[in-house]
Amino acid sequence: MTPVRWWEYPALVLTAGLTGLWFAIAVRGSADDRGRTRVLGSSLLSALAVGCPICNKIVIGLLGVSGALGLWAPIQPALAVLSLAVLVVAVVLQWRNRTCATDTCAVESAAE
C-alpha cells in the first residue's frame, strides 16, 4: 500500500473547490464551452496527480510498477500545481467574462 502524501489532501480539496466555483460562476446555456473543457481537463489532471501511482492502470501499463514509483510519483506534485494553476486561471477568466443571465444587471444599470 502506498501511503497518502501530505500535499494530496489540500490539492484534492482545492481542486474540488475551484471546479465547483467555476461551475457556480458559469452562465447556464452559454455557447462558450472553451472554459468548460479547460476546467474538466484540469480536474482530470489533478485526479492523475493525486491518485496513487500504482493504482493508475494507465501508468502501470505504460511504465510498469517500478516506473510508476520511480518516474510518475516524483512528477505528481508538479502536475498538481499545474492543474491548480490552470483552475485558478479558469476561475479568474470566468469571473471577468461573466455576463448577466438575469434581469439584475438591467436593474443595476437603470439605477445608475
Side-chain angles (χ1 to χ4, degrees):
M1 186 82 182
T2 305
V4 177
R5 294 160 289 190
W6 68 268
W7 57 268
E8 291 177 349
Y9 291 118
L12 186 62
V13 169
L14 287 171
T15 298
L18 288 169
T19 303
L21 183 61
W22 188 91
F23 279 105
I25 296 170
V27 177
R28 281 138 186 86
S30 174
D32 185 18
D33 285 336
R34 291 175 297 164
R36 184 179 310 260
T37 305
R38 280 187 225 125
V39 166
L40 294 176
S42 182
S43 297
L44 176 64
L45 181 64
S46 178
L48 290 172
V50 174
C52 166
I54 58 172
C55 299
N56 189 335
K57 290 181 174 68
I58 297 170
V59 173
I60 294 294
L62 292 173
L63 303 174
V65 174
S66 63
L69 291 173
L71 298 173
W72 185 254
I75 66 168
Q76 282 182 301
L79 292 175
V81 169
L82 176 66
S83 171
L84 290 172
V86 170
L87 280 171
V88 167
V89 168
V91 167
V92 168
L93 289 176
Q94 185 69 19
W95 182 260
R96 287 184 180 174
N97 295 331
R98 71 187 186 283
T99 58
C100 296
T102 62
D103 295 332
T104 58
C105 291
V107 171
E108 290 174 5
S109 61
E112 293 176 357

